Amino acid sequence: MVWQHTDTLPARGQTDRYPTRLDRPAPHVDRADPTAWGQIRSKELSTFEADGFSVLDGLLRPDEVSEFSGEIDRLAGDSALRADDRFIVEKASNRVRSIFEVHKISPMIAELVREERIVGLAREVLGSEVYIHQSRVNYMPGFRGAGFYWHSDFETWHAEDGMPAPRAVSLSIALTDNFAVNGSLMVMPGSQRTFVPCLGSTPADHYRESLQEQEIGVPSNGDITTLAHRYGITQFTGEAGAALLFDSNVMHASANNITPFARSNIFLVFNSVENTLVEPYAAPARRPEYVASRDFTPLRG
Amino acid sequence: MVWQHTDTLPARGQTDRYPTRLDRPAPHVDRADPTAWGQIRSKELSTFEADGFSVLDGLLRPDEVSEFSGEIDRLAGDSALRADDRFIVEKASNRVRSIFEVHKISPMIAELVREERIVGLAREVLGSEVYIHQSRVNYMPGFRGAGFYWHSDFETWHAEDGMPAPRAVSLSIALTDNFAVNGSLMVMPGSQRTFVPCLGSTPADHYRESLQEQEIGVPSNGDITTLAHRYGITQFTGEAGAALLFDSNVMHASANNITPFARSNIFLVFNSVENTLVEPYAAPARRPEYVASRDFTPLRG
């Protein structure tokens, strides 16, 4: 379905079409918003509207994979950055798990983000100019790599960041091979069409905890069962350099990784400039800008 | 390779060909013992010698899967059995994770074990009469199902049970579908040819802990890396009723299961009557008989 976005966005105070962080269970919301907001022309995005994601094999060439792998290793080892709030360290191991706002920290990644083969994907799907809502690199170690539980990114971005509608996409660019066995992303194809309200009110500074381990804003066992039977579960596997472009409301998760094969990726979130943030829908305060940017300047080449 | 077993087994006090639970790292041991101890005739076991395992699709018919699923549900819910030592309960959830010696608890499983299509597999591979070294049912729940780390069963059975040689096989009969994403068994094909000595001395009553969570008797990160690169990692997937027959020294593991799809299986360990237990090679005392039987009576139909 192609849908021309002409409505004005709902202001705070109007009915919230995506209610969440509730004190009692609420029915699932059938998404009225489209998945593809623009005209899909690229063959590699042909399944995006139906599945809520597309796999882009070889988005980075092997030599680029090497260069960016070197860059993110350098960042992880940069002791000057260690104390930075944007460095998320895993509780048990004291290892770097993620580095946020990496497109501001690394000039090499800043350049990549602006390339048409990258940002063009987001513009095509979102049908407008776009900006970076969030960027990070993720490091999932082998042997004892922790996964993350089922969730919709949009649920969090709506509740905690004030993102009005699911008109955002994530691009996960694999810098390592993704096998079925090393904790690769699991996605439920089509699940972007169902918004799952979650229980529990959001505590202040929730993001400090939730970036390490999700506790609030996760669907119930019943929700996951319903969605898994309706949509199924597939996995994003592929060689280093492959990427997954996925809708902000796709239900996804990752198992732990006990293989010796570590995984790392560059993770970019593009939001439409017609979907800029208002105040959080279900949280006492905004999250920091390195998690949810309020610089809505469109990306230029 | 087919190898006629004519040697006498090494008695305690002779050189231990599979040293483990050591206080310093030791080189890997190239297995001199064969993988297939008898003449392999069955087509479905044709890869056993090379890989150390074979997948047997449809070993149980769908109606049998239903019957045995009902039986193990009944056992898990039997409150009279709850306090039994043979019931292993998961720390966090208080759920039944395994029931040991299930072929003595359930007449239905006792009968199954003696059927030629079951015990015949073990006799063919082990080239002799066989007995049950251990039996259990395993229940891996969905959502928060814990996996288990890389290990060789033989390492434990040798160290803690006094099993002289890797002349034993396990048969895991799936009572639920095994997908790539729900914590299905990962195996390293061919790894049965390498014995990995492990570090750490075995504390008394180690089995009480180790049945819940392995800590001692696990290979190092370096060992796992070496073996994974040499042998690769594959996964046992298949429909309910499929079974995996695998050598006692195959390196295997399982990731956690955060899908809603629970897994359960009947797990049978057959040992050759020419490989009966002596005293533990690296533990202060024997484990209980429900974990490591010392009734060496051959199985009869």
Side-chain angles (χ1 to χ4, degrees), chain A residues 78-282:
Chain A
D78 187 337
S79 56
L81 290 168
R82 269 262 161 183
D84 196 305
D85 273 355
R86 296 174 295 182
F87 265 56
I88 309 301
V89 172
E90 199 163 58
K91 279 175 193 167
S93 65
N94 202 35
R95 284 206 216 195
V96 178
R97 177 166 175 163
S98 300
I99 303 172
F100 277 77
E101 224 174 36
V102 71
H103 73 295
K104 293 194 178 172
I105 295 173
S106 160
M108 196 190 286
I109 294 174
E111 262 185 56
L112 177 70
V113 163
R114 284 169 167 73
E115 287 188 34
E116 184 57 28
R117 63 172 162 164
I118 304 292
V119 65
L121 298 165
R123 287 199 196 104
E124 184 168 339
V125 164
L126 300 179
S128 70
E129 292 294 311
V130 301
Y131 71 95
I132 294 275
H133 171 67
Q134 184 188 97
S135 80
R136 59 183 202 262
V137 290
N138 295 312
Y139 305 82
M140 190 193 224
F143 307 113
R144 310 276 176 183
F148 49 83
Y149 203 64
W150 296 101
H151 68 285
S152 146
D153 291 330
F154 173 66
E155 193 277 341
T156 301
W157 300 338
H158 184 66
E160 302 193 21
D161 298 337
M163 183 182 285
R167 193 175 177 177
V169 287
S170 299
L171 183 68
S172 174
I173 307 173
L175 295 179
T176 48
D177 292 342
N178 285 348
F179 305 110
V181 294
N182 66 339
S184 298
L185 206 69
M186 297 186 283
V187 292
M188 297 190 189
S191 61
Q192 80 282 359
R193 292 194 289 271
T194 301
F195 179 79
V196 178
C198 295
L199 294 180
S201 68
T202 316
D205 279 353
H206 178 227
Y207 72 93
R208 289 186 191 277
E209 278 303 309
S210 71
L211 295 179
Q212 296 179 330
E213 225 173 88
Q214 285 277 355
E215 278 152 15
I216 290 188
V218 294
S220 70
N221 287 3
D223 294 329
I224 296 168
T225 304
T226 301
L227 267 64
H229 282 102
R230 186 183 302 157
Y231 297 118
I233 299 173
T234 61
Q235 235 181 333
F236 167 43
T237 55
E239 287 184 15
L244 180 76
L245 184 76
F246 63 105
D247 179 272
S248 58
N249 192 47
V250 164
M251 193 62 74
H252 62 294
S254 146
N256 63 352
N257 177 18
I258 59 174
T259 76
F261 307 117
R263 287 196 308 110
S264 57
N265 58 44
I266 300 174
F267 196 90
L268 307 170
V269 181
F270 300 95
N271 190 22
S272 168
V273 295
E274 298 176 22
N275 190 40
T276 55
L277 306 189
V278 293
E279 291 309 309
Y281 285 79

Side-chain angles (χ1 to χ4, degrees), chain B residues 19-20 27-29 152 155 194-198 218-220 223 227 249 251:
Chain B
T20 190
H28 293 175
V29 176
S152 147
E155 192 279 339
T194 301
F195 179 79
V196 179
C198 295
V218 294
S220 71
D223 294 329
L227 267 64
N249 192 47
M251 193 62 74

Side-chain angles (χ1 to χ4, degrees), chain B:
Chain B
M1 182 180 99
V2 178
W3 190 86
Q4 296 304 319
H5 182 68
T6 51
D7 292 358
T8 47
L9 294 166
R12 288 291 287 131
Q14 291 190 254
T15 306
D16 182 358
R17 294 183 297 143
Y18 298 104
T20 190
R21 313 293 167 103
L22 308 175
D23 56 7
R24 69 193 68 180
H28 293 175
V29 176
D30 286 335
R31 172 176 178 159
D33 286 315
T35 301
W37 300 68
Q39 177 76 52
I40 299 291
R41 290 179 188 89
S42 310
K43 198 178 164 196
E44 68 261 36
L45 298 179
S46 58
T47 61
F48 192 90
E49 171 70 34
D51 292 343
F53 65 87
S54 293
V55 175
L56 304 142
D57 284 316
L59 186 64
L60 295 189
R61 297 185 312 266
D63 60 304
E64 294 176 314
V65 169
S66 300
E67 283 169 32
F68 283 103
S69 296
E71 174 70 353
I72 73 160
D73 284 352
R74 191 188 65 71
L75 294 172
D78 187 337
S79 55
L81 291 169
R82 269 262 160 181
D84 196 304
D85 273 356
R86 296 173 294 181
F87 265 56
I88 308 301
V89 172
E90 199 162 58
K91 280 176 194 167
S93 65
N94 202 33
R95 283 205 216 195
V96 178
R97 178 166 173 163
S98 300
I99 303 174
F100 277 75
E101 224 173 37
V102 71
H103 74 294
K104 293 194 179 173
I105 295 173
S106 160
M108 196 190 285
I109 294 174
E111 262 185 56
L112 178 69
V113 164
R114 286 171 164 71
E115 287 189 32
E116 184 56 29
R117 62 172 163 163
I118 303 294
V119 64
L121 297 165
R123 286 198 197 106
E124 184 168 340
V125 164
L126 300 180
S128 70
E129 292 295 310
V130 301
Y131 71 96
I132 295 275
H133 171 66
Q134 185 187 95
S135 80
R136 59 183 201 260
V137 290
N138 296 311
Y139 305 81
M140 191 195 223
F143 306 114
R144 312 274 176 184
F148 50 83
Y149 203 63
W150 296 102
H151 67 285
S152 147
D153 291 329
F154 174 66
E155 192 279 339
T156 301
W157 300 338
H158 184 67
E160 303 192 22
D161 298 337
M163 184 182 284
R167 193 175 177 177
V169 287
S170 299
L171 183 68
S172 174
I173 306 172
L175 295 180
T176 49
D177 292 342
N178 285 349
F179 305 110
V181 294
N182 66 339
S184 298
L185 206 70
M186 298 186 282
V187 291
M188 297 190 189
S191 61
Q192 81 282 0
R193 291 193 291 271
T194 301
F195 179 79
V196 179
C198 295
L199 294 180
S201 67
T202 316
D205 278 354
H206 178 228
Y207 72 93
R208 289 187 190 276
E209 279 301 308
S210 71
L211 296 178
Q212 295 179 331
E213 224 173 90
Q214 285 278 353
E215 279 153 14
I216 291 189
V218 294
S220 71
N221 288 1
D223 294 329
I224 296 168
T225 304
T226 301
L227 267 64
H229 283 101
R230 185 182 304 157
Y231 298 119
I233 298 174
T234 61
Q235 235 182 331
F236 167 43
T237 56
E239 288 185 14
L244 180 75
L245 184 76
F246 63 106
D247 179 272
S248 59
N249 192 47
V250 164
M251 193 62 74
H252 62 293
S254 146
N256 63 350
N257 177 18
I258 59 174
T259 76
F261 307 117
R263 288 195 307 109
S264 57
N265 58 42
I266 300 173
F267 195 90
L268 307 170
V269 182
F270 300 94
N271 190 23
S272 167
V273 295
E274 299 176 22
N275 190 41
T276 55
L277 308 189
V278 294
E279 291 310 308
Y281 285 79
R286 296 175 175 189
R287 298 197 297 175
E289 295 241 0
Y290 65 82
V291 177
S293 174
R294 287 176 185 266
D295 175 355
F296 308 133
T297 315
L299 283 173
R300 302 289 178 204

